[in-house]
């Protein structure tokens, strides 16, 4: 392989007396002409390599065929209409339809018309309580920066001006007069896509007034917080505000909207735990919290004296991690039992009514609805169960199939089983392994090991249309539930943070070793993949154990651990990672595993395809640019090390179907080619 020449400069930083060279710092400037030229040159090399893979087109055609079926979202009721999302098959974006009871569906919003190439997406919509107005967000090119448009639902006419520069925001209506939203000031230094975003602000926008007159409700100079969200209770009695400086832990506030000019009242004044208002009955608040309950609980309290000292347990903490929703005047406790769903229905007094019978072992989501609903919809999926929508009767507890997935996949031909393996320090870690029934465990199966391990995120079983490509070829798909995730509550999360972060990498390495020892695969037939924090995971493991696997896919990864907190919202990740400025010990710990810094000269690394996107303003592409440049410089051996840079795309959300299929085509083609697998068209 001949790679583009990447210039180096003499940039250095000094941390606690240690000088750290950063010769590719110039690639952090995403607007510079030399950076753009580098991106073009790298993409040219990557596309030239991929174009030579003989079965790439066959994989692309197969993916298009697999993707080409009608996909539905669960219906939801707003005013006199029932709304649902639907994608005909290969549409770039799902379309929002609506219908009246017994009527025919009509198109309400078609995001495919937002842009000619399908890269502008609908990024959220909220309706007024009576359904007569809606505010929706759009994302251009995958950016986290959004615009907000308000329409009358009856005739879809636009009301007032389009709001701009909205980021990490919900939309919460206050009657039909206006709504709350969150945003940051535009970055003054650097580009809007990479500049640091520090102080989040909650605003109130009154319909018919310019955005410049929007009222600051919370945040800003008086109460600087990195993340601020506002929501309004279903009865529109309370504004609920959560405020945080990192991705874990938040303060909680309420304001009585029925009393004009009432003060914002503190419920929780520290960020040591997480809490939100689940529901209310008049002045009685139902609060979901992990305060003194690492696996979460639900408490009640009177709004007049809402401090934690007055909280009463309604649904106590159990050994299983609790998530919750409400609908039809009930609470739905969705527990994680070894990373799969167990759903229990309670009344509002906290009495257990029933355990809901699910279609199998997997992931059930969507147990939520308005208080006056008699039924709600939930989606059930697993690695071998394509997502299907069920209608659930709240009174009887009966589920009935509403929409079955139309994907071309026969679950009877495949199996998915959970195993528990032992990590380096003796910790038992669960992993779900999926493959065709009857494959030989002789170490020859192409295997993709996928992981995340961070930010309290739980990887629960979910079907992937793309993964059919691997399973059809007799391949194995394995997903371990690494520490750092939320599968076993806050203790499991904390065991993979800061100076415990190596546990996550050890768990992933042990998963790979389990698959090899049990003859699912071998190092020559094993690929690793992960995105965002999972991109960090792949980057760290490929630098620590380059011998363990053949192919690596670090996607939109956090790869420079000394500077991640200098860009966009990166400073908010410090709870999980710590920063190089915290202490000498924290700096040394980060410096040791930071993928960009852990690369060593004259080392044979796995065949690697780094993936990122030019509009990623969550994990800026500079991480991937610098890592790829140094990897190409240091790598020894015949394995290709490439970077694939999407244009008009961001961190992942809102990608067009065409972009997704193109990326998945390249992933499977690169993986099979470098594992020595010849793609066979399915019979």
């Amino acid at each position: 392989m001949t790679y583009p020449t990447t210039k180096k400069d003499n940039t250095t930083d000094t941390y606690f007396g240690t000088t750290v060279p950063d010769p590719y710092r110039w690639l952090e400037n995403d607007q510079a002409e030399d950076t753009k030229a580098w991106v073009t040159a790298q993409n040219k090399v990557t596309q030239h390599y991929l174009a030579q893979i003989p079965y790439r087109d066959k994989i692309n055609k197969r993916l298009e065929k697999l993707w080409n079926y009608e996909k539905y979202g669960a219906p939801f009721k707003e005013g006199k209409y029932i709304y649902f999302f639907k994608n005909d098959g290969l549409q770039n974006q799902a379309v929002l339809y609506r219908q009246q009871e017994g009527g025919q569906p009509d198109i309400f919003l078609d995001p495919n018309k937002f842009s000619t190439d399908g890269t502008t997406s609908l990024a959220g919509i909220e309706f007024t309580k009576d359904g007569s107005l809606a505010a929706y967000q759009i994302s251009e090119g995958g950016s986290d920066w959004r615009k907000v448009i308000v329409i009358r639902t009856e005739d879809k006419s636009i009301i007032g001006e389009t709001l701009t520069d909205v980021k990490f925001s919900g939309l919460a209506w206050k009657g039909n007069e206006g709504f709350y939203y969150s945003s940051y000031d535009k970055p003054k230094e650097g580009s809007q896509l990479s500049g640091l975003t520090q102080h989040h602000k909650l605003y109130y926008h009154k319909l018919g007034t310019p955005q410049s007159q929007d009222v600051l409700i919370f945040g800003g100079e008086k109460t600087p917080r990195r993340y601020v969200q506002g929501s309004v209770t279903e009865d529109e009695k309370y504004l609920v505000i959560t405020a945080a400086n990192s991705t874990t832990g938040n303060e909680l506030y309420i304001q009585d909207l029925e009393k004009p000019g009432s003060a914002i009242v503190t419920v929780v004044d520290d960020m040591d735990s997480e809490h939100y208002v689940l529901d209310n009955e008049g002045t009685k608040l139902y609060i979901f919290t992990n305060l003194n309950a690492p696996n979460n609980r639900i408490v009640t309290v009177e709004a007049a004296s809402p401090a934690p000292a007055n909280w009463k347990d309604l649904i106590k903490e159990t050994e299983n991690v609790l998530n919750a929703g409400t609908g039809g005047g009930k609470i739905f406790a969705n527990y994680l039992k070894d990373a799969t769903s167990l759903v229990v229905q309670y009344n509002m007094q906290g009495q257990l009514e029933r355990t809901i019978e699910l279609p199998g072992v997997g992931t059930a989501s969507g147990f939520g609805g308005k208080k006056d609903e008699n039924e709600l919809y939930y989606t059930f999926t697993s690695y071998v169960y394509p997502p299907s929508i069920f209608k659930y009767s709240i009174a009887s507890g009966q589920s009935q199939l509403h929409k079955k997935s139309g994907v071309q996949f026969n679950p009877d031909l495949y199996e998915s089983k959970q195993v528990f393996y032992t990590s380096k320090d003796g910790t038992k870690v669960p992993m779900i392994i999926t493959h065709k029934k009857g494959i030989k465990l002789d170490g020859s199966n192409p295997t993709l090991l996928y992981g995340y391990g961070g930010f309290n995120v739980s990887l629960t079983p979910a079907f992937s249309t793309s993964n059919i490509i691997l399973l059809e070829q007799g391949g194995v798909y394995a997903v371990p539930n690494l520490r750092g995730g939320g599968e076993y509550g806050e203790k499991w999360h904390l065991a993979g943070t800061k100076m415990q972060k190596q546990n996550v990498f050890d768990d992933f390495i042990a998963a790979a070793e389990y698959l090899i020892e049990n003859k699912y695969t071998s190092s020559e037939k094993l690929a690793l993949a992960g995105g965002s924090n999972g991109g960090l995971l792949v980057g760290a493991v490929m630098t620590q154990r380059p011998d363990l696997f053949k192919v690596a896919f670090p996607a939109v990864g956090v790869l420079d651990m000394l500077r991640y907190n200098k860009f966009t919202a990166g400073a908010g990740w410090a709870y999980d990672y710590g920063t190089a400025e915290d202490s000498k010990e924290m700096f040394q710990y980060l410096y040791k595993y930071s993928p960009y810094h852990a690369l060593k000269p004259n080392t044979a690394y796995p065949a690697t395809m780094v993936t990122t996107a030019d509009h990623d303003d969550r994990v800026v592409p500079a991480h991937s640019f610098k890592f790829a440049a140094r990897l190409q410089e240091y790598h020894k051996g015949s394995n290709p090390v490439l970077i694939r840079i999407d244009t008009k795309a961001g961190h992942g959300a809102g990608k067009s179907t065409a972009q997704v299929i193109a990326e998945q085509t390249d992933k499977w083609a690169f993986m099979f080619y470098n594992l020595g697998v010849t793609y066979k068209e399915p019979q």
Side-chain angles (χ1 to χ4, degrees):
M1 293 289 299
T2 305
Y3 302 107
T5 303
T6 306
K7 71 178 182 186
K8 297 170 72 175
D9 61 27
N10 297 318
T11 304
T12 61
D13 291 306
T14 302
Y15 299 88
F16 302 99
T18 300
T19 300
V20 179
D22 191 2
Y24 299 114
R25 176 78 57 87
W26 62 274
L27 283 167
E28 291 180 2
N29 186 350
D30 57 7
Q31 297 298 297
E33 289 307 316
D34 49 1
T35 305
K36 290 176 182 175
W38 183 87
V39 167
T40 302
Q42 290 286 350
N43 267 341
K44 192 175 175 184
V45 168
T46 300
Q47 290 306 321
H48 178 71
Y49 177 88
L50 294 168
Q52 294 180 64
I53 298 175
Y55 40 72
R56 183 190 186 200
D57 286 346
K58 286 180 182 174
I59 291 175
N60 186 256
K61 286 189 173 68
R62 180 65 182 145
L63 278 171
E64 283 189 347
K65 191 175 179 188
L66 288 169
W67 233 274
N68 197 6
Y69 67 94
E70 288 184 339
K71 302 164 198 69
Y72 288 86
F76 55 98
K77 204 170 177 185
E78 302 290 351
K80 60 185 181 183
Y81 290 100
I82 296 164
Y83 291 82
F84 63 92
F85 284 95
K86 177 189 166 190
N87 187 310
D88 286 346
L90 295 174
Q91 285 177 293
N92 278 317
Q93 304 288 342
V95 177
L96 183 56
Y97 289 81
R98 71 175 177 188
Q99 65 189 105
Q100 287 183 289
E101 200 74 54
Q104 289 301 306
D106 292 314
I107 292 175
F108 180 65
L109 269 182
D110 184 357
N112 297 292
K113 294 185 175 166
F114 291 174
S115 62
T116 53
D117 57 4
T119 60
T120 300
S121 60
L122 178 63
I125 184 165
E126 290 295 332
F127 293 80
T128 52
K129 194 174 180 182
D130 66 5
S132 67
L133 302 171
Y136 65 90
Q137 300 188 54
I138 62 170
S139 164
E140 294 165 319
S143 170
D144 281 333
W145 290 97
R146 307 278 159 82
K147 291 176 179 172
V148 179
I149 297 164
V150 183
I151 56 173
R152 281 190 185 84
T153 56
E154 201 55 46
D155 60 4
K156 294 181 262 189
S157 59
I158 293 176
I159 301 172
E161 65 178 39
T162 296
L163 273 59
T164 59
D165 301 329
V166 175
K167 187 172 184 179
F168 295 157
S169 178
L171 301 173
W173 283 95
K174 179 185 174 186
N176 289 23
E177 307 129 43
F179 55 87
Y180 300 91
Y181 71 94
S182 309
S183 197
Y184 299 91
D185 292 335
K186 259 190 178 175
K188 290 183 176 67
E189 291 181 28
S191 79
Q192 189 171 354
L193 291 173
S194 62
L196 201 61
T197 45
Q198 280 287 61
H199 298 145
H200 218 193
K201 299 172 184 177
L202 181 68
Y203 290 99
Y204 175 69
H205 174 72
K206 188 176 179 184
L207 289 193
T209 64
Q211 188 178 2
S212 58
Q213 290 179 17
D214 289 352
V215 179
L216 177 66
I217 303 297
F218 190 95
E221 288 176 14
K222 285 185 182 174
T223 49
R225 302 289 185 271
R226 194 167 281 117
Y227 305 114
V228 179
Q229 293 291 328
S231 61
V232 173
T233 54
E234 190 182 330
D235 61 4
E236 302 192 334
K237 181 172 173 58
Y238 295 105
L239 167 67
V240 180
I241 300 170
T242 60
N245 281 330
S246 76
T247 49
T248 297
N250 65 278
E251 302 162 328
L252 185 63
Y253 303 88
I254 56 170
Q255 183 181 33
D256 191 336
L257 296 177
E258 292 180 344
K259 296 174 184 168
S262 64
I264 291 172
V265 175
T266 303
V267 181
V268 181
D269 63 358
D270 65 62
M271 301 182 194
D272 296 337
S273 307
E274 299 194 335
H275 343 262
Y276 63 87
V277 174
L278 181 67
D279 204 350
N280 71 303
E281 284 186 336
T283 58
K284 183 182 184 180
L285 304 177
Y286 291 75
I287 296 173
F288 181 97
T289 181
N290 68 357
L291 177 64
N292 301 324
N295 288 353
N296 307 327
R297 60 181 172 139
I298 296 171
V299 300
T300 58
V301 72
E302 276 297 314
S305 49
N310 302 316
W311 291 1
K312 293 190 180 84
D313 273 354
L314 183 79
I315 297 176
K316 292 186 176 181
E317 180 189 26
T318 71
E319 62 181 357
N320 297 321
V321 180
L322 170 68
N323 291 294
T326 59
K330 308 291 181 185
I331 295 171
F332 294 92
N334 196 337
Y335 291 100
L336 269 186
K337 186 173 173 60
D338 291 331
T340 62
S341 295
L342 169 71
V343 186
V344 181
Q345 179 176 316
Y346 291 91
N347 65 20
M348 298 306 282
Q349 289 71 52
Q351 294 160 324
L352 188 151
E353 293 188 337
R354 69 174 65 88
T355 297
I356 295 167
E357 196 175 325
L358 298 175
V361 177
T363 305
S365 58
F367 284 92
K370 296 184 172 65
K371 282 186 179 169
D372 59 0
E373 302 285 0
N374 299 315
E375 54 199 23
L376 50 79
Y377 294 86
Y378 68 89
T379 301
F380 182 82
T381 182
S382 78
Y383 293 116
V384 292
Y385 194 110
S388 296
I389 301 166
F390 291 84
K391 183 193 278 192
Y392 175 77
S393 164
I394 296 169
S396 72
Q398 296 299 306
S399 294
Q400 133 190 14
L401 185 64
H402 173 71
K403 287 282 182 202
K404 187 182 180 195
S405 171
V407 69
Q408 291 179 25
F409 179 80
N410 182 356
D412 298 338
L413 302 178
Y414 300 89
E415 61 180 294
S416 195
K417 68 173 182 179
Q418 189 172 57
V419 300
F420 289 82
Y421 65 91
T422 306
S423 191
K424 186 178 180 179
D425 64 356
T427 301
K428 286 269 187 287
V429 181
M431 172 163 61
I432 296 181
I433 305 171
T434 306
H435 54 77
K436 243 184 199 171
K437 286 177 180 172
I439 63 164
K440 284 184 185 162
L441 299 185
D442 59 3
S444 69
N445 304 301
T447 298
L448 183 65
L449 180 63
Y450 178 85
Y452 187 78
F455 296 96
N456 206 25
V457 171
S458 301
L459 290 190
T460 62
F463 188 80
S464 159
T465 302
S466 173
N467 284 351
I468 298 174
I469 293 283
L470 174 64
L471 299 176
E472 283 179 338
Q473 300 299 310
V476 176
Y477 183 65
V479 182
N481 296 108
L482 313 171
R483 280 175 284 184
E487 291 87 351
Y488 293 104
E490 187 58 12
K491 287 178 184 170
W492 192 252
H493 170 218
L494 290 175
T497 59
K498 293 195 175 84
M499 307 279 267
Q500 312 293 317
K501 188 67 180 173
Q502 184 60 38
N503 287 336
V504 187
F505 313 142
D506 290 342
D507 290 355
F508 206 47
I509 289 165
E513 289 172 336
Y514 175 93
L515 293 168
I516 293 165
E517 283 163 18
N518 288 274
K519 297 286 198 300
Y520 283 96
T521 191
S522 63
S523 289
E524 286 299 301
K525 296 290 182 186
L526 179 60
L528 302 188
S532 197
N533 173 72
L536 160 62
L537 170 71
V538 174
V541 170
M542 69 179 279
T543 53
Q544 291 180 17
R545 289 291 306 276
D547 60 307
L548 189 58
F549 49 100
K550 180 70 178 180
V551 173
F553 293 112
V556 292
V558 188
L559 299 163
D560 181 345
M561 297 309 294
L562 302 186
R563 287 179 58 75
Y564 76 85
N565 54 321
K566 310 289 185 196
F567 305 101
T568 64
W573 312 333
Y575 186 94
D576 256 53
Y577 295 150
T579 74
E581 292 81 20
D582 287 348
S583 67
K584 186 177 182 180
E585 292 73 22
M586 194 70 246
F587 155 68
Q588 288 172 335
Y589 193 87
L590 288 166
Y591 190 31
K592 186 178 178 187
Y593 81 74
S594 173
Y596 172 59
H597 301 96
L599 288 164
K600 294 181 178 66
N602 298 312
T603 304
Y605 288 103
T608 304
M609 188 161 72
V610 181
T611 52
T612 186
D614 64 348
H615 276 63
D616 190 344
D617 44 12
R618 190 90 50 90
V619 180
V620 292
H623 284 277
S624 296
F625 293 175
K626 289 163 66 175
F627 180 74
R630 185 170 268 172
L631 180 60
Q632 288 175 351
E633 180 193 357
Y634 285 174
H635 174 58
K636 181 187 79 176
S638 57
N639 289 334
V641 290
L642 306 172
I643 180 166
R644 184 187 186 281
I645 305 149
D646 248 337
T647 53
K648 282 196 169 178
H651 198 57
K655 270 189 185 174
S656 70
T657 297
Q659 286 174 315
V660 172
I661 290 175
E663 185 176 352
Q664 293 302 309
T665 296
D666 291 349
K667 179 183 83 174
W668 295 123
F670 185 87
M671 175 175 153
F672 289 159
Y673 194 60
N674 285 285
L675 295 183
V677 174
T678 301
Y679 176 79
K680 299 181 190 73
E681 292 195 64
Q683 301 303 310

